[in-house]
Amino acid sequence: MEQGPNTVIRLETALNAAARADAVDGNVALPGLLLQRMPPIYVADRDGRFTLVSPECEKFLAAAFGCRREADGSLRAPDELIGIFRHLDRGVREIKLRQTVQTDGASRHFRSFHLKTEDIDGGGYAGIYTDVTLEAEAVIDAARSEGRFEDIIRSASDWVWETDVDLNLTYVSSRISETLERQPGSLIGENILALGVFEESSDGLSGKPDLMASRVPFRGRIFLVADNRNRVRRVALSGVPIYDDVTGAFAGYRGTGADVTN
């Protein structure tokens, strides 16, 4: 759901209207049930006291900031939120944050959205917290997998590389930058054949450009490259053509290499 000032204002207006209906007709059970199912959402007045807070939000505030209701039943915003309110008072239109908290013995990740509410009960502040734990854990797992992948290729080969259809590099492993003494980012987009030349082989095949143009796998071809100190490195390069899974069109090359200079 796209979140913005109107979202919070409409939501609080609807809940307050429903709560008033519930007070008139005791048989109306929807407001309480609806509030129980609401995501962590709050509305606070200018003094920092909550005028509306969903049960999930109250649970979040207790876990994240140790908030507890006072003797009169009121609940006041923690110092962290008061700081956000002061930023909003200085003209910041909206504030978006990410936070990790421990609840029920597990880490949960939240993305929050905070703004001023000028049009409700004299103005105040409102916010919504969105649980993004599954999204965050997926990113963390992907980073771990990427780390494992990097460890494996570092132990298996000096070079791991990939190009697009024009043979411009789209991925390089860290060992390539170490060999060439260049930052990995500076290599992305550079044509792999601009890095060096293939050495003529005893089988009479020329590595540049015929071997690449034929779009066939190659293995152990000596590729001569110069590092930043103009020292020529000999890299045994191997590669295979890759094709689009849907169209079957040629998409580039993917391969490995080993520095065999010594």
Side-chain angles (χ1 to χ4, degrees):
M1 178 180 69
E2 188 68 24
Q3 298 171 354
N6 291 336
T7 303
V8 178
I9 292 171
R10 287 197 303 269
L11 182 56
E12 194 209 16
T13 301
L15 288 175
N16 284 341
R20 286 193 294 270
D22 193 23
V24 174
D25 183 354
N27 294 323
V28 179
L30 178 61
L33 179 62
L34 180 62
L35 196 60
Q36 288 290 337
R37 294 180 177 274
M38 287 299 299
I41 182 172
Y42 73 84
V43 177
D45 61 22
R46 290 192 177 276
D47 294 326
R49 291 192 178 275
F50 292 113
T51 58
L52 181 145
V53 58
S54 69
E56 279 298 309
C57 188
E58 188 168 346
K59 181 179 178 181
F60 170 82
L61 293 170
F65 307 115
C67 287
R68 296 290 185 273
R69 288 189 177 273
E70 298 177 7
D72 60 0
S74 64
L75 187 64
R76 182 175 175 79
D79 291 340
E80 289 81 356
L81 272 181
I82 295 296
I84 291 174
F85 297 164
R86 298 293 82 84
H87 279 291
L88 292 170
D89 287 339
R90 287 194 287 269
V92 179
R93 183 173 179 272
E94 59 187 42
I95 295 176
K96 297 179 181 179
L97 299 171
R98 286 181 178 269
Q99 186 167 14
T100 300
V101 301
Q102 294 289 326
T103 60
D104 300 325
S107 294
R108 294 177 65 189
H109 306 272
F110 290 85
R111 182 173 58 242
S112 62
F113 176 84
H114 311 265
L115 49 81
K116 291 191 73 170
T117 56
E118 301 290 356
D119 302 330
I120 305 175
D121 299 331
Y125 316 92
I128 296 176
Y129 288 88
T130 303
D131 192 330
V132 293
T133 301
L134 293 179
E135 171 189 324
E137 289 178 345
V139 172
I140 293 171
D141 288 343
R144 289 173 178 165
S145 296
E146 179 68 17
R148 286 193 293 268
F149 173 70
E150 283 287 345
D151 289 340
I152 291 170
I153 62 178
R154 282 177 65 89
S155 63
S157 177
D158 290 328
W159 285 28
V160 176
W161 53 274
E162 186 172 292
T163 74
D164 61 17
V165 65
D166 296 316
L167 303 184
N168 297 318
L169 290 165
T170 57
Y171 173 82
V172 294
S173 63
S174 58
R175 293 294 288 274
I176 295 181
S177 62
E178 291 171 9
T179 299
L180 301 181
E181 298 181 345
R182 291 177 56 180
Q183 292 296 321
S186 69
L187 294 169
I188 299 300
E190 188 164 341
N191 193 286
I192 190 171
L193 297 180
L195 298 181
V197 296
F198 282 97
E199 187 178 60
E200 294 291 338
S201 62
S202 58
D203 58 13
L205 292 176
S206 173
K208 179 185 178 181
D210 296 341
L211 186 62
M212 289 294 191
S214 64
R215 298 179 181 176
V216 296
F218 61 94
R219 182 175 181 82
R221 298 302 306 275
I222 300 302
F223 192 58
L224 306 177
V225 297
D227 61 23
N228 270 351
R229 287 179 278 182
N230 289 322
R231 297 175 303 180
V232 176
R233 313 293 298 183
R234 296 171 59 85
V235 179
L237 208 64
S238 301
V240 295
I242 52 179
Y243 298 90
D244 187 276
D245 292 336
V246 177
T247 65
F250 174 68
Y253 265 88
R254 181 180 296 143
T256 61
D259 191 335
V260 294
T261 303
N262 294 334

